[in-house]
DNA sequence: CAAGTATACGACCGCTGGAGTCCGAATTCA
DNA sequence: TGAATTCGGACTCCAGCGGTCGTATACTTG
């Protein structure tokens, strides 16, 4: 019902991969792409965008590639997705300032904006350092249960 | 970054409208569409799908239309969106059973599935009765702050 | 310096899926 | 019977995603 673009997916995967290899000074887009079996050219464009935002640094030339510019614990999934896909909101007619062509008729927008904010905060609280850790330890199950109860708390507020 | 389809939007708006007019035995798709300035034919198809699932009842013939079949407090935004858009997940390669073509390479999927669950639970806890109320009273601001703190709780768990 | 490797970036394209339309049939009320 | 309405399939239109290509540029190494 809600879809994340493949580009954002690839971006997160690539960042995770780089974070997992701190010993390498730079990893080429080609190498990362081969590791995940995704098109190299596409991944390169994604990494370029991440470089523009300052999440990643690019090294041209031989033995070049990309390296993290920020602490993995400081890179949230939100900013990655934002950098790649741009600002898209859950409600179709929601701009940065929340304008709607039919302000009076779209009374649904307010509660949906709340949902939008919830999703944003969740994504902001997930960092690529989390992705690296979860690949090894099995804390995922616990987190899911925690997540479920917190969801109920939101309900009770209504 | 995450988009809800217009159809789902329209469906929620229509259900809210019907819930706001309990005195009417049946509201035609045309009437609802005109109230919100949305294409009537499209809304009709949306309501048909909601009728199939049992959320709404259809009355053919003159003075026909649609009426709620369930208590507005028992209709969650989740089931409405699910009925209209079908099962779409945040990760592109996530089926009902969670299969992925590259199981080993897509290590990102687990944490994203958690996000997916979070969104689901939030949507399950929003009912169209909430939409009706929020259109009048100003409880939205409070709810947003509550939501923000609960998001932080999810963070702390990591 | 020259060759080779990598990023940088814009142009391009196929295609899926969302948004919306059209039309004929069935149903019901006046 | 006729008007209003739902029902449902088929259809068009088009934006945007996913992906490719080609060229320019930057850097490293021999």
């Amino acid at each position: 019902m809600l879809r994340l673009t493949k580009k954002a997916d690839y971006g997160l995967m690539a960042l995770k991969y780089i974070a997992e290899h701190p010993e390498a000074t730079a990893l080429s887009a080609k190498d990362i792409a081969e590791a995940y079996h995704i098109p190299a050219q596409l991944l390169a464009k994604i990494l370029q965008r991440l470089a523009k935002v300052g999440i990643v640094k690019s090294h041209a030339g031989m033995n070049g590639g990309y390296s993290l510019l920020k602490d993995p614990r400081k890179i949230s999934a939100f900013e990655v997705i934002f950098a790649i896909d741009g600002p898209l909101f859950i409600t179709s007619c929601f701009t940065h300032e929340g304008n709607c062509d039919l302000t009076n008729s779209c009374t649904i927008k307010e509660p949906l904006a709340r949902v939008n904010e919830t999703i944003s905060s969740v994504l902001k609280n997930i960092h690529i350092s989390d992705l690296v850790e979860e690949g090894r330890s099995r804390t995922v199950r616990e987190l899911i249960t925690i997540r479920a109860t917190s969801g109920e708390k939101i309900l009770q507020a209504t």
Side-chain angles (χ1 to χ4, degrees), chain A:
Chain A
M1 58 189 47
L2 290 167
R3 205 172 60 250
L4 199 59
T5 62
K6 268 190 179 177
K7 293 182 184 180
D9 245 10
Y10 293 163
L12 290 172
M13 289 163 69
L15 288 177
K16 183 200 171 189
Y17 188 83
I18 298 175
E20 282 175 341
H21 299 79
E23 70 281 1
T25 56
L27 291 166
S28 75
K30 194 185 167 194
D31 290 344
I32 303 174
E34 285 178 353
Y36 289 118
H37 307 100
I38 58 182
Q41 307 234 32
L42 181 58
L43 181 61
K45 302 190 77 166
I46 295 168
L47 287 169
Q48 285 165 29
R49 293 175 98 151
L50 294 178
K52 259 190 182 172
V53 188
I55 296 176
V56 131
K57 194 186 179 189
S58 65
H59 307 267
M62 261 193 80
N63 299 326
Y66 298 90
S67 59
L68 290 186
L69 201 57
K70 296 173 63 176
D71 184 342
R73 286 169 295 184
K74 294 281 179 67
I75 305 174
S76 70
F78 180 87
E79 58 182 314
V80 175
I81 297 168
F82 186 90
I84 295 172
D85 285 339
L88 295 182
F89 299 90
I90 192 172
T91 49
S92 21
C93 62
F94 238 48
T95 65
H96 317 270
E97 302 305 323
N99 296 13
C100 187
D101 47 352
L102 307 167
T103 320
N104 49 347
S105 60
C106 296
T107 40
I108 295 294
K109 301 312 153 72
E110 291 186 22
L112 286 190
R114 178 158 68 97
V115 177
N116 197 60
E117 290 283 333
T118 308
I119 297 169
S120 297
S121 67
V122 171
L123 288 176
K124 278 174 185 165
N125 292 331
I126 292 185
H127 305 83
I128 52 171
S129 56
D130 300 330
L131 304 183
V132 177
E133 293 163 11
E134 289 190 8
R136 295 162 185 154
S137 62
R138 280 291 145 187
T139 52
V140 191
R141 311 293 173 198
E142 317 169 31
L143 290 170
I144 288 179
T145 55
I146 293 167
R147 173 260 319 140
T149 47
S150 68
E152 284 163 16
K153 276 171 199 161
I154 297 173
L155 164 71
Q156 291 164 7
T158 351

